[in-house]
Amino acid sequence: MSTVTEGAHRDGGAGDDAGAAKVVDAVRDLAPVLRERADAAESAGRVPDESVAELAGTGFFRLLQPTAFGGLAADPGLFYTCVKEIARACGSTGWIASVLGVHNWQLGLFPEEAQREVWGGDDGARISSSYAPTGKVTPVEGGFRFSGRWSFSSGCEHADWVFLGGLIKGEDGAPVDSRTFLLPYGDYRIEKNWDTLGLRATGSHDIVVDDVFVPEHRTLSFLDTSALDCPGQRLNPEPLYRLPFAALFTSTIATPLVGIAEGAYATYVAVTRERFRVSYGQKVKEDPFAHVRIARAGSAIDAAWLQLAHNIAELYGYAMRGEHIPDELRLRTRRDQVLATERAVEATDLLVENAGGNAMRTGHVVQRYWRDVHTGRGHVANDPERALTMFGRGELGDEVRDPML
């Protein structure tokens, strides 16, 4: 149970980074357990409940949660460090931890009444999402009638609420606003249909809504999030809540893939130290071509993480100082986020190509990492052409308007 902490960080000071550093240590201690459960999670098609409970016990889900509701409102770089460590151990667990964790940040942007509804009785409540505006939205007095089907709601079986995307249209039928709608479990049902090549344990099932009422205060306009002017910022003045949605959300999708690539790299190196290639009568550790692949893959993974971490740190620095975040930085963050994904995939491919036939056997850790990173690459946030085109246009002086900026 939780009540709002009166006066918590009312001056807009930073969150509890010291407490968050302890969370990072606790997550690293938990990672070997998550690694041991990865095969069973994949077979079950669901991250074990005990894994989610133990992650909650580390304080992970509080990293981006407002201090007013028992959270740490911490430096987002610490959140992404945790995500990378979790995904390195188990790709599916890292994926759902990342998306469920970032939703506490987004809820902090909603009107205070919505935050109280979710966290007032349970400050450990979790939210899944599906942002594509595929449903039907009908404005009515005090809110909206809402119905439809949404796909790919990762971790929905571990959530109490859901964020769903919807378009509000004018009298001429043209969209005038795109919003995130917040619904409690009971106003929607989960249709279990997630059966994929990789990230099999994420449980990214469909969400179905049959004509329910969503009050106005449980919606958030993307116009407000893009402008960095959201109603929740008055309750939660910490710098964390002055960051762009697109930067945090897309980093939330890219970081698990970097962690997965790190896991593939560590596993490949460990196996290669002992592997003997019968065809050549040679220990693979003596093969100079394997050395080159290790160097290339390691550099690609390091570059991906260093750019992601650098951009998030720079964004957070602007927020800490209360300064305007330049469009150039927002564009660069999107550029480097999609390239981080590309590098993670390429690095994993380099290693798998040299891992031998045994690596493709069912149950081999390397091929699970390979399947996971390719499946995650398919997320719309990892579309390189869209983000790279935006960056190029910005560099050439064109005005760039995009909801994912």
Side-chain angles (χ1 to χ4, degrees), residues 6 8 27 36 50 94 123 166 190 214 216 230 236 304 307 329 375 395 397:
E6 296 298 334
V27 166
E36 290 174 2
E50 57 263 38
D123 62 10
I190 298 169
V214 182
E216 175 75 28
C230 298
N236 305 314
Q307 285 189 306
L329 176 55
T375 301
E395 285 291 279

Coordinates of all heavy atoms in Angstrom, one line a residue, residues 6 8 27 36 50 94 123 166 190 214 216 230 236 304 307 329 375 395 397:
E6 N 4.1 13.5 0.6 CA 3.9 15.0 0.5 C 5.3 15.7 0.5 O 6.2 15.4 1.3 CB 3.1 15.5 1.7 CG 1.7 15.0 1.7 CD 0.9 15.4 0.5 OE1 1.2 16.4 -0.1 OE2 -0.1 14.6 0.1
A8 N 7.7 15.4 -1.6 CA 8.8 14.6 -2.1 C 9.4 15.3 -3.4 O 8.7 15.4 -4.4 CB 8.4 13.2 -2.5
V27 N 20.5 -6.4 -9.2 CA 20.2 -7.0 -10.5 C 21.3 -7.9 -11.0 O 21.1 -9.0 -11.5 CB 19.8 -5.9 -11.5 CG1 19.8 -6.5 -12.9 CG2 18.5 -5.3 -11.2
E36 N 19.9 -19.3 -15.6 CA 19.5 -20.7 -15.4 C 18.1 -21.0 -15.8 O 17.8 -22.1 -16.2 CB 19.8 -21.0 -13.9 CG 21.2 -21.1 -13.5 CD 21.4 -21.3 -12.1 OE1 20.4 -21.4 -11.4 OE2 22.6 -21.3 -11.6
E50 N 8.3 -16.1 -10.6 CA 9.2 -15.8 -9.6 C 10.4 -14.9 -10.1 O 10.9 -14.1 -9.3 CB 9.8 -17.1 -9.1 CG 10.5 -18.0 -10.1 CD 9.5 -19.1 -10.6 OE1 8.3 -18.8 -10.7 OE2 10.0 -20.2 -10.8
G94 N 14.9 -9.8 -20.2 CA 15.4 -8.4 -20.4 C 14.4 -7.6 -21.2 O 14.2 -6.4 -20.9
D123 N 1.6 0.4 -5.0 CA 2.7 1.1 -5.7 C 3.6 0.1 -6.4 O 4.6 0.5 -7.0 CB 3.5 2.0 -4.7 CG 4.2 1.2 -3.6 OD1 4.3 0.0 -3.7 OD2 4.7 1.9 -2.7
G166 N -4.5 5.1 -29.5 CA -5.8 5.4 -30.2 C -5.7 6.7 -30.8 O -5.1 7.7 -30.3
I190 N -6.8 -10.8 -22.5 CA -5.6 -11.2 -23.2 C -5.9 -12.4 -24.0 O -6.4 -13.4 -23.5 CB -4.4 -11.5 -22.2 CG1 -4.1 -10.3 -21.3 CG2 -3.2 -12.1 -22.9 CD1 -3.2 -10.6 -20.1
V214 N -13.3 5.0 -21.1 CA -12.0 5.4 -20.5 C -12.1 6.9 -20.2 O -12.4 7.7 -21.1 CB -10.9 5.2 -21.5 CG1 -9.5 5.7 -20.9 CG2 -10.8 3.8 -22.0
E216 N -11.3 10.8 -19.3 CA -10.3 11.7 -19.9 C -9.0 11.7 -19.2 O -7.9 11.7 -19.8 CB -10.9 13.2 -19.9 CG -9.9 14.3 -20.4 CD -9.7 14.3 -21.9 OE1 -10.7 13.9 -22.6 OE2 -8.7 14.7 -22.3
C230 N 3.6 17.8 -20.1 CA 2.6 16.8 -19.7 C 2.1 17.2 -18.3 O 2.8 17.7 -17.4 CB 3.2 15.4 -19.7 SG 3.8 14.9 -21.3
N236 N 5.3 15.5 -10.5 CA 6.6 14.9 -10.5 C 7.6 15.8 -11.2 O 7.9 15.7 -12.4 CB 6.5 13.5 -11.3 CG 5.5 12.6 -10.7 OD1 5.4 12.5 -9.5 ND2 4.7 12.1 -11.6
A304 N 27.8 0.2 -29.8 CA 26.4 0.3 -29.6 C 26.1 0.8 -28.2 O 25.3 1.8 -28.1 CB 25.7 -1.0 -29.9
Q307 N 27.4 4.6 -27.4 CA 26.6 5.7 -28.0 C 25.2 5.8 -27.3 O 24.8 6.9 -27.0 CB 26.4 5.4 -29.5 CG 27.7 5.7 -30.3 CD 27.4 5.7 -31.8 OE1 26.9 4.7 -32.3 NE2 27.7 6.8 -32.4
L329 N 20.1 16.8 -30.7 CA 20.4 15.7 -29.8 C 19.3 14.6 -29.9 O 19.6 13.4 -29.8 CB 20.5 16.2 -28.4 CG 20.7 15.2 -27.3 CD1 21.9 14.3 -27.6 CD2 20.9 15.8 -25.9
T375 N 14.5 -11.4 -33.7 CA 13.1 -11.2 -33.4 C 12.9 -9.7 -32.9 O 12.0 -9.0 -33.3 CB 12.5 -12.2 -32.4 OG1 12.7 -13.5 -33.0 CG2 11.1 -11.9 -32.2
E395 N 20.2 17.3 -40.5 CA 21.5 17.8 -40.8 C 21.5 18.7 -42.0 O 22.4 19.7 -42.0 CB 22.5 16.6 -41.0 CG 22.9 15.9 -39.8 CD 23.8 16.7 -38.9 OE1 25.0 16.8 -39.1 OE2 23.2 17.3 -37.9
G397 N 19.2 20.8 -42.7 CA 18.5 22.0 -42.4 C 17.0 21.9 -42.5 O 16.3 23.0 -42.4

